[in-house]
Amino acid sequence: MSQPKAFKLRQVEDRRNNYTGVLPEIDKTRTTAVLVRQSKSGADTTMAESRETQLGLQEYSKLLYGNAEPQVELYDEGAGVSGQKRIDQRAELDRLYRDMHKGIIGTIVLAREDRIFRNKHMDQVGVFTKLAEEKRIKVIVPPISSAASDERTKVYDFTSYRDLVAFQDKMREAYGYIAGHVAYMLQCKQNKADKGGYDGRLLPPGLAVKGQKQNQVIVIYEPWAQEMRKLALRAQALDWNIGKLNREVDRMAYLFPEIPDEDREKYLIKTCIHRIPGVGYKPRSDQTLRDLFTNEMLIGWWQPDDDKPDVIVDNHPAVLDYALFAEGYARLKGYTLEGELIDNYRGKTRIQETRETPPDLLFHGKLILTPPSPDETTFISSYEQIYEQKSTLNYLGYRKRNNQMTKRRWCCIPGNAFDTIVIERLLALENADITMSDKVKTTLDQVYNQQSEDFVSIPQQIQGIKTQLTENAKKRMKTSVDDPMYEMLEEEKHDLMQRQKSLESKKEKLGMVDSPEEIEQLHSLLGNFESVWPTFDLDQRQRAFSLLINRIEIEVVSPHWIRLSIDWLDAVCPRLDVAYVWKASPSRGEKFSEEEKEIIRQHYPRTNYMEILELLPGRTWQSIQGQTALMGIKREVVADPGVCVGICYRDMVPKMDGEYLFRDYETTIEYIKKAISNTAKSAAPLYALWVLPETMDGLEGIVERYLGGKDCLSQAS
């Protein structure tokens, strides 16, 4: 007979207390932090017990205080947060790190050590443990289940070398899960791909997956396959000119039809093509069609590994005819499917040049271009223009509709002239306020001290990476290049340098002050600009304005006018500084449309020139005359547009709402005349009219002039 067993009766508890035995000692004068994290997106519902277990550590943390008033703070990262991310990339961990630095935290409680990091090169771990040791912060990992009742509570006191090493071992073990289990799963996935099985990759339009798991097969999805065949034939008709094809597709409402619900249940369609809800699917990148026509899956080929040339032929049904695909592949790639070079390569006709040095522009990467509408995006790049063997740098603005692939040039602004306008404005503001340099220094000192708390992890991470790079260099010097370890050290160096670059970029984007020395350098510049500025290199000049300006933005108002808005550091200028900048060379217009030509036919012979300008608001009288010469249409009555010969109606009434840019027609024309007289296409391509004076004292005069019916612009430069 088996040993008798007596049942012990108890009531259901929301969460049992598995923390038996003596509780560890903590600093009860400081807060205990509970960090919660789940790696997988949606794990807070699919693995709810894991989350509940971690949240339950708050009750355990309260027990640690005994009879004292508990101080427990939850740092909940939620689900879908990778432990491989840096401290500053995880908002709640970054908040915890800042509180550690402030001395608020005395203890950190975790369900497992890997909740805090899965860090390959230990750079994040080192930064964390160094601060924990300095602030005497303990990490506690208690048993979390009745099944773990025989496990002891782990307490890491980083002032103890043994505890530090034990924690570091756990961190290596945490990343080992990525390098071990996850790597194993990826290898299994690769094994499936090697046999021609579907491995979860994106599919080109016309292909879909049917079946479950190991029984999945790639099949034709005919509604999209039909469109893909039409598209390929159209590309062939255009001689594989992808630029022209992109523009044609841009004019379409959609390229591939919406997928019915019954098809979604039957097939798995993984695609990179953007979905327009209720309409269909359409690419958003100008590279997409080129990639599709060189995707060998469209002819039934399967490449198990992108890094290897091996392909499985006839792995699945083909969407495109082999001859058609092979022709397009060769024209777009410059070589055949067999790797033979061809002469009639239809590759990219415009090759982007990569600069070895950054362009000599103060606001490269900083200048913002206002989108003309909510459904468009804009961006600015640098553009080098060479004319008569003379090189000039420009800020080149582009615009792109959100559901379109192609972007188009929108504005071109002479770079040096634009930078000079901002520099001269700074000097004017400084001349109007002799205390500016001291106020800037005081403000930046305060910013530096505040950033030391708000973004403490970033400089410490950078310093930690520099230390590791030094150690890496020492190891490489002692290791032969033929040793397999050398390649691993090279990989570690590359990864660390990428992290360092990313952190430096983030620091720059946040406008973080490097050091008190940098503040002193800027103070000396503002106190003696004329002599100090020439000694600055490009990086120092860009850095100076990065600290002095919070945001600099331009808005295209009309072909000739742009609106410049500068949000200076408050110590420089406490209000938004706005100028209207006249460009001697207007934005390049499109060809005259058929609708515009019809307006010319009807109105050019006898209609008043101002009415014609209003009917063709983006055209100057000069450009209209050029078009009439091509069309053979002559003016029957005399027109004397005067200054209006070189401007368009939008230059006077930008919003086409009857409101002139500067209050009325006469005032607007006067400012345009002034701008024209102060500009020349090469010598002085820009002229700025500042809306407000340099000092607040001058605002009273502006109000009086405005009430008196006079102009309200402060000055021009």
Side-chain angles (χ1 to χ4, degrees):
M1 186 176 69
S2 60
Q3 188 72 21
K5 180 172 70 173
F7 289 99
K8 182 179 179 180
L9 305 181
R10 67 176 180 83
Q11 297 297 316
V12 173
E13 301 172 68
D14 287 341
R15 184 157 298 282
R16 290 199 66 196
N17 180 3
N18 301 303
Y19 317 119
T20 57
V22 179
L23 293 171
E25 288 292 324
I26 66 165
D27 182 351
K28 297 176 183 177
T29 65
R30 293 193 287 173
T31 298
T32 294
V34 175
L35 180 67
V36 174
R37 178 181 72 84
Q38 289 179 291
S39 300
K40 292 184 179 180
S41 296
D44 50 340
T45 54
T46 59
M47 302 181 71
E49 188 59 34
S50 170
R51 175 170 172 78
E52 288 299 315
T53 297
Q54 294 187 62
L55 291 172
L57 293 174
Q58 294 174 89
E59 296 304 315
Y60 169 79
S61 300
K62 292 176 183 178
L63 294 175
L64 298 176
Y65 284 87
N67 296 325
E69 182 67 26
Q71 304 174 58
V72 178
E73 179 73 17
L74 176 65
Y75 296 82
D76 187 359
E77 296 194 90
V81 179
S82 171
Q84 296 184 76
K85 287 187 174 182
R86 301 191 312 263
I87 294 170
D88 61 290
Q89 292 174 323
R90 296 163 57 184
E92 283 297 280
L93 179 59
D94 196 46
R95 182 168 73 91
L96 170 59
Y97 192 88
R98 293 198 305 270
D99 288 346
M100 290 169 62
H101 187 265
K102 293 173 185 175
I104 296 172
I105 305 299
T107 309
I108 300 172
V109 177
L110 306 168
R112 291 201 317 260
E113 291 86 348
D114 62 12
R115 294 305 83 196
I116 196 160
F117 293 119
R118 291 191 189 275
N119 183 211
K120 182 177 183 179
H121 298 300
M122 301 289 284
D123 52 297
Q124 303 294 294
V125 175
V127 170
F128 173 82
T129 56
K130 182 179 179 181
L131 182 61
E133 179 184 3
E134 178 188 325
K135 300 294 183 180
R136 296 186 173 275
I137 300 168
K138 293 179 181 179
V139 170
I140 297 177
V141 182
I144 58 173
S145 166
S146 59
S149 57
D150 57 336
E151 292 184 8
R152 65 180 183 85
T153 299
K154 286 171 277 189
V155 180
Y156 298 98
D157 179 352
F158 297 104
T159 60
S160 163
Y161 182 70
R162 177 182 291 181
D163 285 0
L164 173 62
V165 171
F167 186 79
Q168 289 172 339
D169 288 343
K170 279 292 183 182
M171 290 294 96
R172 293 187 183 92
E173 184 182 310
Y175 184 77
Y177 172 82
I178 303 292
H181 177 73
V182 174
Y184 169 76
M185 297 303 294
L186 290 174
Q187 288 168 3
C188 291
K189 185 178 178 181
Q190 184 62 53
N191 288 340
K192 185 178 181 181
D194 288 340
K195 295 184 290 186
Y198 179 63
D199 58 358
R201 70 183 66 179
L202 294 174
L203 299 172
L207 293 177
V209 176
K210 200 172 183 180
Q212 299 293 326
K213 298 298 180 181
Q214 289 299 114
N215 297 321
Q216 286 180 328
V217 292
I218 299 174
V219 297
I220 295 287
Y221 181 61
E222 197 56 42
W224 281 24
Q226 291 176 9
E227 300 303 322
M228 195 66 212
R229 294 178 193 119
K230 293 177 188 175
L231 192 66
L233 289 171
R234 182 56 185 160
Q236 184 185 45
L238 292 172
D239 195 28
W240 302 100
N241 188 321
I242 300 300
K244 287 184 179 179
L245 186 61
N246 279 338
R247 288 189 286 274
E248 287 189 7
V249 172
D250 264 344
R251 291 191 288 270
M252 300 165 61
Y254 64 89
L255 182 56
F256 300 102
E258 184 66 276
I259 303 170
D261 291 340
E262 56 268 25
D263 286 352
R264 290 185 185 278
E265 294 178 6
K266 190 185 301 183
Y267 302 104
L268 170 65
I269 301 176
K270 292 192 70 172
T271 179
C272 64
I273 310 298
H274 173 64
R275 182 179 179 232
I276 306 170
V279 179
Y281 291 75
K282 184 178 174 181
R284 285 203 292 189
S285 168
D286 57 4
Q287 183 65 26
T288 301
L289 296 186
R290 181 181 297 274
D291 291 341
L292 291 182
F293 291 131
T294 55
N295 190 325
E296 70 285 345
M297 291 184 69
L298 289 172
I299 53 172
W301 289 13
W302 177 261
Q303 188 175 7
D305 189 337
D306 286 339
D307 296 329
K308 297 177 182 178
D310 308 56
V311 292
I312 301 173
V313 180
D314 298 330
N315 182 70
H316 52 266
V319 175
L320 297 182
D321 174 72
Y322 178 87
L324 176 62
F325 177 84
E327 177 189 325
Y329 184 93
R331 294 297 305 280
L332 296 173
K333 286 284 193 179
Y335 51 85
T336 67
L337 287 165
E338 292 76 27
E340 298 174 0
L341 295 175
I342 64 168
D343 294 330
N344 58 342
Y345 172 37
R346 183 78 223 193
K348 292 184 179 180
T349 55
R350 294 181 183 177
I351 301 174
Q352 291 184 337
E353 295 183 4
T354 55
R355 302 177 62 95
E356 293 183 1
T357 57
D360 190 4
L361 295 171
L362 276 183
F363 305 104
H364 176 62
K366 300 290 184 183
L367 187 60
I368 298 169
L369 178 59
T370 306
S373 63
D375 65 337
E376 289 188 78
T377 55
T378 53
F379 60 93
I380 289 182
S381 65
S382 63
Y383 169 63
E384 185 175 13
Q385 189 175 26
I386 299 176
Y387 180 69
E388 294 182 349
Q389 297 183 333
K390 183 180 179 182
S391 172
T392 57
L393 283 171
N394 302 274
Y395 294 104
L396 187 60
Y398 293 89
R399 61 191 290 186
K400 176 180 176 293
R401 290 200 176 275
N402 294 339
N403 287 327
Q404 290 189 345
M405 296 181 289
T406 55
K407 62 181 183 291
R408 62 188 180 94
R409 284 177 56 166
W410 192 26
C411 64
C412 185
I413 303 168
N416 292 333
F418 181 85
D419 291 352
T420 299
I421 284 175
V422 181
I423 292 171
E424 289 178 350
R425 183 59 171 176
L426 173 64
L427 292 175
L429 292 169
E430 185 183 18
N431 290 335
D433 182 4
I434 59 174
T435 64
M436 179 194 288
S437 59
D438 292 334
K439 289 195 294 187
V440 167
K441 184 178 185 303
T442 301
T443 299
L444 291 180
D445 281 335
Q446 294 171 349
V447 169
Y448 178 72
N449 293 331
Q450 184 62 42
Q451 286 177 345
S452 296
E453 295 184 2
D454 293 346
F455 307 112
V456 62
S457 76
I458 294 178
Q460 292 185 4
Q461 286 180 77
I462 292 173
Q463 187 56 48
I465 289 174
K466 287 179 179 177
T467 302
Q468 284 200 279
L469 284 170
T470 302
E471 292 299 316
N472 177 279
K474 291 178 181 177
K475 291 177 183 177
R476 280 185 290 115
M477 288 176 66
K478 297 177 182 178
T479 307
S480 169
V481 292
D482 298 324
D483 191 324
M485 180 61 72
Y486 190 85
E487 186 176 341
M488 294 174 64
L489 290 170
E490 280 289 317
E491 181 186 350
E492 180 186 64
K493 181 190 77 170
H494 177 266
D495 289 350
L496 288 170
M497 290 180 71
Q498 287 296 109
R499 278 179 175 267
Q500 183 182 27
K501 183 179 179 181
S502 178
L503 282 164
E504 293 283 4
S505 176
K506 184 169 184 176
K507 186 181 77 170
E508 178 69 19
K509 188 176 180 181
L510 290 170
M512 293 181 64
V513 182
D514 269 340
S515 63
E517 290 75 23
E518 185 177 50
I519 298 173
E520 191 58 45
Q521 187 181 52
L522 186 58
H523 182 253
S524 67
L525 171 68
L526 293 176
N528 195 8
F529 194 94
E530 298 296 337
S531 59
V532 175
W533 183 252
T535 67
F536 277 23
D537 59 25
L538 175 62
D539 185 59
Q540 289 172 315
R541 292 181 177 190
Q542 290 177 332
R543 185 71 182 142
F545 273 93
S546 178
L547 294 173
L548 292 171
I549 293 177
N550 298 319
R551 181 183 177 92
I552 180 167
E553 185 170 358
I554 57 170
E555 177 186 355
V556 176
V557 176
S558 72
H560 278 99
W561 289 111
I562 59 173
R563 186 178 189 269
L564 167 62
S565 304
I566 304 177
D567 178 15
W568 297 95
L569 193 71
D570 281 353
V572 176
C573 182
R575 50 173 168 70
L576 190 65
D577 207 11
V578 177
Y580 284 91
V581 181
W582 178 266
K583 298 192 301 172
S585 299
S587 300
R588 186 173 62 181
E590 304 289 338
K591 291 182 179 180
F592 277 76
S593 66
E594 290 303 319
E595 183 182 353
E596 288 178 314
K597 291 177 183 177
E598 185 58 34
I599 291 172
I600 289 174
R601 291 187 189 97
Q602 291 184 24
H603 296 277
Y604 184 74
R606 302 191 64 82
T607 304
N608 178 275
Y609 75 87
M610 187 59 73
E611 291 181 34
I612 296 175
L613 286 177
E614 188 171 356
L615 289 169
L616 301 169
R619 305 294 183 179
T620 65
W621 187 253
Q622 197 171 33
S623 67
I624 293 170
Q625 286 182 313
Q627 183 62 34
T628 58
L630 294 173
M631 297 170 65
I633 300 174
K634 295 184 178 181
R635 182 80 175 165
E636 296 175 7
V637 295
V638 177
D640 183 19
V643 70
C644 292
V645 71
I647 67 174
C648 65
Y649 190 75
R650 282 192 182 277
D651 290 329
M652 298 179 284
V653 186
K655 295 182 180 180
M656 298 298 294
D657 56 359
E659 294 290 330
Y660 285 92
L661 183 61
F662 302 115
R663 196 175 60 234
D664 54 40
Y665 173 78
E666 290 76 15
T667 306
T668 301
I669 289 297
E670 281 303 309
Y671 278 122
I672 289 176
K673 285 181 179 178
K674 189 174 184 180
I676 291 174
S677 66
N678 282 279
T679 53
K681 286 190 176 181
S682 56
L686 300 177
Y687 182 73
L689 295 163
W690 292 96
V691 173
L692 296 176
E694 293 86 352
T695 64
M696 298 297 287
D697 297 338
L699 288 176
E700 183 179 348
I702 288 179
V703 173
E704 289 178 357
R705 289 201 302 274
Y706 180 77
L707 294 175
K710 299 178 181 179
D711 69 84
C712 59
L713 286 178
S714 62
Q715 67 164 31
S717 64

